[in-house]
Amino acid sequence: MSVILLEAVGALALLVFIVWWTMFAGRKGGERPDDHER
């Protein structure tokens, strides 16, 4: 049971890391400031 729980936690951590990496990679300071509203 603990092995399955450990694997589920590891998969969730990997998913969160991938989402965080794709959102903030390559941007200094995180999100872009919204200079121009359309």
Side-chain angles (χ1 to χ4, degrees):
M1 180 67 183
S2 61
V3 174
I4 295 172
L5 185 62
L6 183 65
E7 187 176 353
V9 170
L12 183 63
L14 182 63
L15 177 67
V16 169
F17 175 74
I18 290 170
V19 170
W20 176 83
W21 183 265
T22 57
M23 285 178 66
F24 297 114
R27 293 185 182 172
K28 292 185 186 277
E31 290 290 326
R32 293 182 299 169
D34 291 332
D35 298 357
H36 44 41
E37 297 277 335
R38 290 184 182 185

